[in-house]
Amino acid sequence: MIRAIPSSKFFLHVCAKQSAGWVLGDFCRLVALQLCSSGSIRRAMSFSPKRKGTYEEILHHRSQQSDVGWSLRSYTPPQYRYCSPRRPIDVGTAVLASPIIRHTVLQLSEEDGSSVERLEQEAEAIVKEMGHDLGMGAIRLFAFVLSKAWRRIYKAIYVNSEHLTKLQGLCKDYPVLLLPSHRSYMDFLLMSYVCFAVNLPVPVITAGADFMSMKGVGSLLRKSGAFFIRRQFGSDKLYWAIFTEYVQSLVRNGDAPVEFFLEGTRSRAQKSMGPKLGCLSAALEPYFKGEVADIYVVPIGISYDRLLEETLYAYELLGVPKPKESTSGLLKARHVLSGDYGNIHVSFNAPISVHEYFRAGVDRSVHATLPRYMSSHSVEEVACTQSLAVDVLLQQQKAIVLSPWSLVAAILLQHSQPGGMGVAERSQLEGVGVAELAEEVHWLKLQLENFGGRINWPGGYTTEAILMDTLTVHSDLVSVSNENRVYLKHVDDVKSKNAALDPVTMATAVRHLTLALYRNQLLHVFQNLGLVALVVTGSQENEISLEDLYKKFMFLRNLLCKDFIFRPCDVEKDFNGVLLGMKHTNAIVQENNHILVAPSVNKCTVFMSRMFEPFLVAYWVLCQFLLTHNRASWKIRDIIEGTQGLEAAMLNHGMLHHYEILSLELLSNAVNGLIHCGAICREKAAFHGNRANMR
C-alpha cells in the first residue's frame, strides 16, 4: 500500500535527519507536525500591508510561494571576498593553534605549575563547548518551522530595506558586526530568519551557555550559528583568551557576520541598558592591530507589539527567579501559538565604518612593536570603544518603531494613579471611555512625533479604530465593556516567592509592571523632555533661570545615568535641543533667560513629569531606607531587598502609588546611580561580596 505524505512533513523529516540527527529530528518533528496539523493559519489583518514606506513585510507576502518552497529556495548571499573557506570545526582548530592560546597555556603552566598537556586538554574542551556548527540544513529547517509558527501569532514582520543593498555590498568587502537590541528570546531566531529572508549571510551568534542544557534545542541552535559563552568567566585567563581568539578568528577570516547583543542580556524592563564591552572589544581588536582594513558595525532596532515574555518579565523584576531554560519548558509554552502578538519591526540602521569612526581618536601604530599574542587596548582605544558602544545603543533606540500600545500603557499607568490629569483624574474602578482614551492617545502620538519618535500608525484608519485593534492584541491585560469603557483586568492573587511582597501586592505589581514594560519603550524619546519637566513642575518659584535649570538638568542626568543612555559630552547640546522643542510646542514659556513656571506647568510638562516620577520616587525611598538604618556597611543585595520591603509597606499604607518602583532592576540601577554620584561608595571585601559604604 502506498500512502501519500504531505510535502511539509516530508521536508521536515529530510531536513531534521540531514541537519541534526534523529534525537534533534524527533524534537523538530514534534513541534512542526503540530503546526502542520493544527488547523488554518491566522491571516494578516488589513492593518498589515505588504509595504509601509521603506518597510517590507516578509512573513505573509511571498507571491503565493509555499513554506516548503520558500525554505528550499536558492539562497546565494554575498560572501566576504577575502574569506578562506573552512568548516566550523576548522575554526576551533585555528583557535587552538593560534599564538595567543599557545602563549597563554605556557604562561599559566609557569604560574600555577599545571602541565601543558592538561591545559591543552582544557582548552580543547572549552573550544568544543563554545564552537558553532552552522549548516544550511538547520537554517532551512528553522525557516520552515518558524514560518509556520509565526504566521499563527504575528500579523506581520516588517524589515526596512533602506540600508540592505548597501549592507549586502559591504558583506563582500569587509567583516560585519550585527548589533541588534535585545528585548526578547525571539531576537536570536528572528535575526537569522530575517537574514535568510533578505538574502544576507546568516550570522554566527553569541549565546549564553545555559541554552546548551536544552536537549535537542541547544544542538539545533549550535547548528544554526550559535557559539556559546559562559555568562561569567571572571579571571579565567584561558577562557578569556579562547573566547577572544574565537571571536577574532571569525572577524579576521570573515566566515560570516558576527552577531551579539551589546547589552549582554535581555532588557526585562524594555529600555536600553548600559553596554557590556567584552564582545565588542574582542571583535574590534583585529582592526586595532591592523589585521583588517575596516569593520562595519550595524545597529539594529527590534520592536514587538506584544512580548511573549511580558508576564515572565514582570515576575522576574519583582524577584521571582527566572525559570531554567529547558526543552520541556519550551514545549509547555506552546499555548502561545493561540495568541495574537501583533507586528514585529526590524530596523537596520546605517552601517558604521570603524575606520572612519576611530580615524581621529586612535593611533593603531602602537601595536606594531608588540607581539601578536599580546591582547591589549590603549587608553584611547578603550575610550573610543565605549563611545562607539553608546552611539550604537542610541542608534538602536532611534531605529525602534513603537506600537500604539506603548502610548496606551503610558496613559493607563497615569490613570491608575490618584491625582492625575485628564484621563488620569478618574478612579481606576470607573475605567476609561474609549473615545476619551483615543483622544489622549492621539495627543501623546503628536508629542512623540514632535520629539523624533517613530510609531507604527496605519494610514487611513481613525485613532479609535487603531486603539481598538491594539486593545484586542493586549486583551490579556485590558477589557472593553459593553459601555465602551476600558478596564485593567483583575489579576488573581499569586503566591509570592518574595518574602517582602504579599500575594495582593504581588498581583497588583505584576499588572502595573507589565504596563510599565511597554511604557518604558518610549521613554528614550522623552528622556530629556522629562527631566526638564520634572524641574519645572517641581519648582516652588515663579520663574527659573536657564542657568539653574541647566544645573538641575545635569544633576538628574548624572543621577539617572544607569536607567537611561546619555552621551556625557552632549549635555549642553541635548539641553538646548529639548528647550527649543519645548518652546516650539508651547510646553514652556521663556522670557529673556528665565522660564516662567506657572504657564509652563501645563498638560505636556505635567504628563511628562508624571511619566518619569516613579524613577525619582524609587531613588528617594532607597535614600530613606539608608538614612533610617544606622549602619556603616551594607551588602548591596540587602539594600535592594530592604528598600523593596519599605516600598511595599508604603504602598500598602497608601503613601505611594507607583507599583513599578518595586522592580529590583530599578532599585539596582538606583544603587549604582548613587554610587556614580558619590553618595555611597562600593568596595570589594574578601568573603563578603560587593558592599556599599555610606558617605
Side-chain angles (χ1 to χ4, degrees):
M1 179 179 178
I2 299 176
R3 181 168 57 91
I5 301 176
S7 60
S8 58
K9 297 184 181 181
F10 175 75
F11 163 78
L12 194 62
H13 277 268
V14 173
C15 272
K17 185 175 180 180
Q18 289 181 346
S19 67
W22 287 112
V23 173
L24 179 56
D26 289 342
F27 167 77
C28 295
R29 282 191 295 277
L30 175 63
V31 175
L33 288 178
Q34 180 176 351
L35 293 174
C36 294
S37 61
S38 57
S40 60
I41 297 172
R42 184 175 61 83
R43 296 297 176 186
M45 294 179 58
S46 57
F47 278 19
S48 304
K50 182 176 181 179
R51 293 193 65 88
K52 295 190 305 182
T54 61
Y55 285 81
E56 184 170 355
E57 206 283 315
I58 65 169
L59 182 61
H60 293 276
H61 301 281
R62 290 186 188 149
S63 303
Q64 308 304 317
Q65 192 174 23
S66 69
D67 289 329
V68 172
W70 182 76
S71 302
L72 292 176
R73 79 192 196 282
S74 175
Y75 171 65
T76 55
Q79 297 296 317
Y80 182 48
R81 69 178 65 204
Y82 305 111
C83 174
S84 299
R86 57 182 180 175
R87 300 167 300 169
I89 194 172
D90 297 331
V91 181
T93 302
V95 169
L96 292 172
S98 64
I100 188 171
I101 302 304
R102 293 202 303 269
H103 172 77
T104 303
V105 166
L106 293 174
Q107 184 182 46
L108 290 175
S109 178
E110 293 176 0
E111 288 177 357
D112 59 18
S114 300
S115 69
V116 170
E117 183 180 357
R118 188 188 70 78
L119 289 169
E120 288 177 343
Q121 290 174 351
E122 184 180 346
E124 289 176 6
I126 292 173
V127 169
K128 184 177 179 181
E129 173 191 88
M130 183 181 296
H132 77 83
D133 190 21
L134 179 62
M136 282 309 301
I139 296 300
R140 293 186 187 280
L141 178 61
F142 256 135
F144 172 75
V145 173
L146 293 177
S147 293
K148 291 290 186 185
W150 288 349
R151 199 173 289 118
R152 289 174 57 86
I153 63 177
Y154 292 118
K155 296 174 183 175
I157 297 177
Y158 287 105
V159 180
N160 71 324
S161 56
E162 184 177 1
H163 302 292
L164 288 183
T165 302
K166 179 179 180 180
L167 182 55
Q168 288 168 341
L170 291 174
C171 287
K172 298 178 182 178
D173 298 322
Y174 303 100
V176 171
L177 305 180
L178 300 179
L179 272 57
S181 57
H182 200 15
R183 301 291 185 267
S184 171
Y185 274 138
M186 198 68 70
D187 300 333
F188 180 102
L189 303 174
L190 182 64
M191 280 303 303
S192 295
Y193 184 91
V194 167
C195 288
F196 179 75
V198 301
N199 207 43
L200 285 174
V202 173
V204 290
I205 311 166
T206 56
D210 39 5
F211 286 102
M212 291 191 301
S213 62
M214 299 177 68
K215 183 178 179 181
V217 176
S219 177
L220 184 57
L221 292 177
R222 192 187 297 275
K223 289 178 180 296
S224 65
F227 63 96
F228 297 99
I229 61 173
R230 300 170 189 170
R231 293 292 183 184
Q232 295 179 338
F233 38 95
S235 58
D236 188 333
K237 293 181 180 179
L238 183 59
Y239 196 94
W240 263 110
I242 291 173
F243 158 71
T244 301
E245 180 60 22
Y246 194 92
V247 172
Q248 291 177 12
S249 178
L250 294 171
V251 172
R252 283 193 299 264
N253 196 58
D255 302 84
V258 178
E259 176 190 333
F260 54 89
F261 301 108
L262 196 53
E263 298 159 285
T265 186
R266 290 171 298 156
S267 171
R268 271 82 172 166
Q270 296 299 293
K271 53 188 181 62
S272 295
M273 300 182 294
K276 304 293 189 295
L277 301 182
C279 282
L280 184 61
S281 297
L284 293 179
E285 192 167 320
Y287 169 76
F288 292 141
K289 290 183 174 181
E291 296 170 331
V292 295
D294 200 356
I295 298 172
Y296 273 82
V297 175
V298 186
I300 303 166
I302 303 176
S303 52
Y304 301 86
D305 283 2
R306 181 184 169 195
L307 293 160
L308 291 172
E309 308 101 322
E310 59 182 12
T311 304
L312 179 65
Y313 283 167
Y315 280 109
E316 287 184 38
L317 290 171
L318 292 169
V320 177
K322 181 186 76 168
K324 185 178 179 181
E325 286 84 0
S326 66
T327 303
S328 61
L330 178 63
L331 292 176
K332 289 177 182 177
R334 62 185 181 273
H335 65 274
V336 302
L337 295 176
S338 61
D340 181 353
Y341 290 84
N343 300 314
I344 300 176
H345 286 79
V346 181
S347 304
F348 288 80
N349 254 8
I352 300 171
S353 164
V354 168
H355 181 70
E356 291 298 323
Y357 190 93
F358 291 158
R359 180 186 292 274
V362 171
D363 179 12
R364 294 195 288 169
S365 66
V366 298
H367 294 280
T369 58
L370 299 175
R372 287 292 182 184
Y373 58 75
M374 287 190 64
S375 178
S376 62
H377 293 273
S378 67
V379 174
E380 292 78 12
E381 289 168 354
V382 172
C384 286
T385 300
Q386 176 72 39
S387 176
L388 175 62
V390 171
D391 274 345
V392 168
L393 291 176
L394 292 174
Q395 289 298 315
Q396 288 175 355
Q397 290 181 344
K398 184 178 179 181
I400 284 175
V401 178
L402 296 167
S403 163
W405 176 250
S406 292
L407 310 183
V408 176
I411 294 166
L412 291 180
L413 274 172
Q414 295 203 18
H415 163 70
S416 65
Q417 303 163 14
M421 46 155 294
V423 170
E425 290 177 349
R426 311 289 193 267
S427 74
Q428 185 172 337
L429 295 176
E430 293 178 357
V432 188
V434 169
E436 191 174 4
L437 183 58
E439 183 179 341
E440 293 295 320
V441 167
H442 181 72
W443 172 81
L444 187 54
K445 169 183 173 284
L446 294 179
Q447 308 310 308
L448 183 80
E449 293 172 338
N450 285 336
F451 287 90
R454 306 170 70 185
I455 187 166
N456 176 31
W457 198 265
Y461 296 92
T462 65
T463 300
E464 192 165 316
I466 294 171
L467 173 62
M468 292 304 296
D469 180 63
T470 197
L471 292 176
T472 301
V473 172
H474 295 275
S475 58
D476 286 353
L477 275 175
V478 293
S479 61
V480 181
S481 70
N482 294 332
E483 293 78 26
N484 260 0
R485 302 193 71 79
V486 179
Y487 296 86
L488 289 180
K489 282 190 172 179
H490 175 72
V491 178
D492 293 333
D493 296 349
V494 295
K495 293 182 179 180
S496 174
K497 296 182 180 180
N498 186 334
L501 304 180
D502 61 85
V504 176
T505 302
M506 176 67 85
T508 305
V510 166
R511 179 175 56 192
H512 282 242
L513 269 172
T514 305
L515 283 176
L517 299 181
Y518 295 99
R519 185 274 317 274
N520 288 349
Q521 293 176 356
L522 57 78
L523 291 183
H524 67 275
V525 178
F526 297 121
Q527 59 190 27
N528 292 313
L529 170 58
L531 300 189
V532 171
L534 283 168
V535 176
V536 171
T537 58
S539 176
Q540 302 299 313
E541 306 296 331
N542 293 327
E543 58 184 31
I544 308 172
S545 69
L546 291 183
E547 181 181 0
D548 188 33
L549 180 61
Y550 180 65
K551 288 180 180 178
K552 292 177 179 177
F553 175 80
M554 282 198 302
F555 168 76
L556 289 176
R557 275 178 60 122
N558 197 36
L559 179 66
L560 298 173
C561 66
K562 304 302 179 181
D563 272 300
F564 303 100
I565 305 299
F566 301 109
R567 280 187 61 86
C569 60
D570 287 347
V571 180
E572 187 173 352
K573 174 185 174 183
D574 291 345
F575 178 75
N576 291 331
V578 75
L579 279 190
L580 183 64
M582 294 178 77
K583 287 186 287 186
H584 178 72
T585 58
N586 297 317
I588 57 172
V589 177
Q590 178 180 344
E591 282 191 2
N592 299 321
N593 290 322
H594 290 78
I595 302 297
L596 304 183
V597 172
S600 297
V601 177
N602 49 49
K603 180 175 182 176
C604 179
T605 53
V606 171
F607 187 95
M608 297 303 166
S609 65
R610 288 185 180 277
M611 193 155 59
F612 287 85
E613 185 178 283
F615 295 91
L616 292 190
V617 171
Y619 282 56
W620 173 78
V621 178
L622 172 62
C623 292
Q624 293 300 309
F625 175 79
L626 291 172
L627 292 171
T628 54
H629 291 76
N630 188 22
R631 288 173 56 178
S633 179
W634 289 87
K635 286 186 177 180
I636 289 179
R637 180 176 179 179
D638 292 341
I639 295 177
I640 293 172
E641 292 179 351
T643 303
Q644 189 189 53
L646 177 58
E647 289 173 336
M650 296 176 79
L651 286 164
N652 289 335
H653 285 86
M655 300 169 64
L656 299 174
H657 308 285
H658 303 283
Y659 279 83
E660 62 263 43
I661 66 175
L662 293 170
S663 164
L664 295 182
E665 182 177 305
L666 172 55
L667 294 176
S668 177
N669 289 339
V671 170
N672 289 317
L674 292 175
I675 291 172
H676 178 77
C677 290
I680 56 180
C681 63
R682 178 167 54 194
E683 64 180 16
K684 289 187 177 181
F687 309 112
H688 294 290
N690 285 340
R691 303 180 72 87
N693 293 332
M694 292 293 296
R695 278 187 174 177

